[in-house]
């Protein structure tokens, strides 16, 4: 299989081109290097009809066979991990070694989710009757994925949807469609026609999908603004929704930590993937006793960071993924500059492409845009605090509630802080961790529902209670 050309959609088990194409940009160069199909409404119709037909049989395929199919999908990804990783770097920008981690992560998620169990619940079992609650599939799932983790986040939808007996039509972001389309080509050999369909398109495709009556469920990952539109569109036919949305995650660093040990980890938690991670630290609160030391150490790390084209070995940080996001981060930087905020820049970056130095904003006011908004790019506000209760209030004073972190040598105190953070995930002395067995959930406007683990599986099913008498005496 070639990874450098022939990007086609997977519809009803066939690889399909479109009458029109979309240019795909390499963000390290700012120039187009490939095209992907721009799906039409007819393509969407074909995909939804194929998924609807396939659902009739796929839901009755024994669970163990569905597990085996997901394991085969995982193995196929692993066999092609290097090819995926270099294509990933070209379209997404992330350095190839780190891109490969995501590719392998997608395989791991498919394979691990396949092992999950969602057994029948028995809510009553008496001499008279037994009540069983089964988890039945919903139908055809509409899956929409963003550009920051295109393969991993696709696997978070494909695995639970198919394991529980649904079929799926998945759309990657127009900025990062290529690896997902190649994934479709691999999965053509693994799943029966129509069980998984992958279609690519422009800004018009997402709204067409969410409004389509053929879907029973929407699983969406993206920004909070788009998530609200998705929910509005889903309301017309009361489609079930899972929304994994934006965040403005706070990390709180207590004065008892070893600055040298913690600074590297704080830096990685904020700037990995060039800060384009939904659960990255986006507001860093450091106790005043160690603030200057942490700031200076992090600034040193930023100045020595290797930022550049991800296909050059040795670079650890790539570009911002697309022009719109690049301009948004530049706008936040300009706003900070205009307001006289202290900016601590990292190493120089290439002139070509969507590069921005890894930048720390030194103790900006809480109300500044860079603190209040999700930057989703390499600009990190770092603030001083003196009182723990007060900083917890500051951390929670946001419409978002995705993840948070607390850093302290006192685990009991850290657990108390964790308990008071209004987020779906809290890490103690670590960050950016997730597992296929643990739900990721957005509080407040960071989401609706959960992904991953048994919590995630449930989102792709309907609870169905069956009351079974112990004898048929009353009717015979
Ligand atoms: P986005 O909302 O712009 O786009 C996400 C996806 O939705 C893309 O595939 C896009 O084409 C599609 N889309 C756009 N408009 C649509 C519409 N009206 N209806 C249906 N689909 C539409 O987000 P993005 O810029 O691609 O991703 C960045 C955002 O995603 C950040 O806010 C980040 O925090 C969030 N994110 C959240 C998680 C999580 O698990 N909570 C994970 C990754 C990213």
């Amino acid at each position: 299989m070639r990874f450098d050309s022939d990007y086609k959609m997977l519809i009803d088990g066939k690889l399909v081109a479109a009458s029109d194409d979309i240019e795909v940009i390499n963000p390290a160069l700012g120039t187009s290097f490939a095209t992907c199909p721009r799906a039409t409404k007819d393509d969407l119709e074909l995909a939804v009809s194929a998924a609807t037909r396939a659902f009739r049989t796929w839901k009755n395929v024994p669970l163990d066979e569905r597990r085996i199919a997901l394991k085969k999908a995982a193995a196929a990804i692993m066999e092609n991990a290097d090819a995926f990783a270099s294509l990933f770097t070209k379209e997404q920008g992330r350095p190839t070694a780190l891109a490969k981690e995501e590719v392998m992560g997608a395989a791991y998620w498919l394979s691990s989710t396949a092992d999950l169990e969602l057994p029948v619940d028995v809510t009553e079992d008496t001499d008279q009757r037994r009540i069983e609650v089964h988890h039945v599939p919903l139908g055809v799932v509409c899956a929409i994925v963003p550009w920051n983790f295109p393969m991993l986040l696709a696997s978070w939808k494909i695995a639970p949807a198919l394991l529980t007996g649904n079929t799926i039509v998945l759309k990657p972001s127009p900025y990062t469609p290529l690896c997902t389309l190649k994934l479709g080509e691999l999965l053509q050999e693994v799943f029966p026609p129509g069980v998984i369909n992958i279609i690519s398109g422009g800004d018009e495709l997402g709204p067409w999908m969410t409004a389509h009556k053929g879907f029973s469920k929407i699983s969406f990952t993206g920004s909070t603004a788009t998530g609200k539109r998705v929910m509005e569109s889903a309301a017309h036919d009361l489609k079930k929704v899972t929304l994994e949305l934006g965040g403005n995650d706070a990390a709180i660093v207590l004065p008892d930590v070893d600055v040298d040990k913690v600074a590297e980890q704080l830096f990685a938690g904020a700037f990995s993937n060039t800060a384009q991670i939904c659960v990255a630290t986006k507001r860093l609160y450091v106790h005043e006793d160690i603030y200057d030391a942490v700031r200076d150490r992090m600034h040193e790390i930023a100045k020595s960071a290797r930022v550049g084209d991800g296909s050059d070995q040795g670079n650890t940080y790539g570009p911002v993924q697309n022009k719109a996001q690049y301009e948004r981060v530049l706008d936040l930087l300009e706003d900070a500059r205009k307001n006289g905020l202290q900016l601590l820049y990292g190493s120089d970056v290439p002139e070509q492409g969507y590069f921005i130095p890894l930048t720390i904003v030194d103790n900006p006011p809480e109300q500044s845009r860079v603190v209040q908004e999700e930057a989703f790019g390499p600009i990190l506000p770092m603030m001083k605090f003196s009182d723990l209760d007060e900083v917890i209030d500051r951390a929670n004073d946001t419409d978002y509630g995705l993840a948070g972190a607390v850093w302290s040598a006192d685990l009991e105190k850290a657990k108390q802080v964790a308990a008071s953070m209004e987020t779906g995930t809290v890490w103690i002395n670590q960050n950016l961790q997730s597992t296929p067995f643990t739900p990721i959930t957005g509080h407040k406007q960071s989401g609706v529902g959960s992904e991953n683990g048994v919590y995630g599986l449930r989102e792709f099913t309907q609870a169905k209670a069956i009351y079974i008498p112990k004898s048929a005496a009353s009717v015979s």
Side-chain angles (χ1 to χ4, degrees), residues 142-149 153 156 171-175 201-210 220-227 229-230 233 243-248 276-279 282 322 325 374 376 400 402 440-442 446-447 451:
C142 162
I144 299 181
V145 179
W147 45 259
N148 62 330
F149 281 82
L153 297 178
W156 289 16
K171 182 192 95 60
S173 165
Y175 294 119
D203 292 343
E204 63 289 346
L205 182 57
W208 290 347
M209 288 174 76
T210 58
F220 171 85
T221 304
S223 63
T224 294
T226 311
R229 276 180 230 126
V230 169
S233 173
L243 305 175
E244 291 291 347
L245 307 178
N248 196 10
Q276 302 164 117
I277 303 185
C278 53
V279 290
K282 293 170 186 154
N322 59 72
Q325 192 60 27
E374 180 191 33
F376 218 60
Y400 292 113
L402 199 52
I440 171 163
T441 311
S446 284
E451 283 195 303

Side-chain angles (χ1 to χ4, degrees), residues 65-89:
E65 281 182 37
R66 298 202 296 255
R67 289 192 210 279
I68 289 168
L70 286 170
K71 299 261 181 198
K72 277 191 190 155
I77 293 174
M78 288 303 285
E79 277 164 30
N80 292 277
D82 287 319
F84 269 119
S86 62
L87 177 61
F88 190 113
T89 297

